[in-house]
Amino acid sequence: MKAIRKYFSDLREHRAAVITGQAAIVGELQTLKGELQSLKTDRSDQLERIAAATESLVAMQRALLAQSHPHLVR
């Protein structure tokens, strides 16, 4: 009888440890999800800045081309 009580006691402790571990894993996954969303936002901002810089460079190139070869610019 004592062995059975010990078994179930150990089983409860193990179950509690598993639940605690699962909760920790869920917490880490939520943290990673937040970090990934942050990276996605940062990347989107970077892409917007790159697009704006590219448009600016294209406009500068057109202006230089208009000065040197006005017949080529529409």
Side-chain angles (χ1 to χ4, degrees):
M1 195 65 149
K2 198 172 197 178
I4 293 172
R5 284 190 192 124
K6 171 83 170 116
Y7 171 79
F8 282 108
S9 174
D10 291 348
L11 190 60
R12 280 191 296 275
E13 287 177 22
H14 176 72
R15 183 174 182 264
V18 168
I19 290 171
T20 301
Q22 288 173 336
I25 290 169
V26 168
E28 287 296 318
L29 287 172
Q30 289 173 338
T31 300
L32 287 173
K33 180 181 176 184
E35 289 177 14
L36 287 172
Q37 287 174 338
S38 175
L39 287 173
K40 182 180 175 184
T41 301
D42 291 346
R43 169 115 349 143
S44 179
D45 292 342
Q46 288 174 345
L47 291 175
E48 287 177 16
R49 287 193 300 271
I50 290 169
T54 302
E55 288 175 12
S56 176
L57 289 172
V58 168
M60 285 186 229
Q61 183 65 33
R62 282 193 179 140
L64 290 171
L65 188 60
Q67 288 176 355
S68 59
H69 298 74
H71 60 283
L72 296 176
V73 179
R74 296 179 193 181

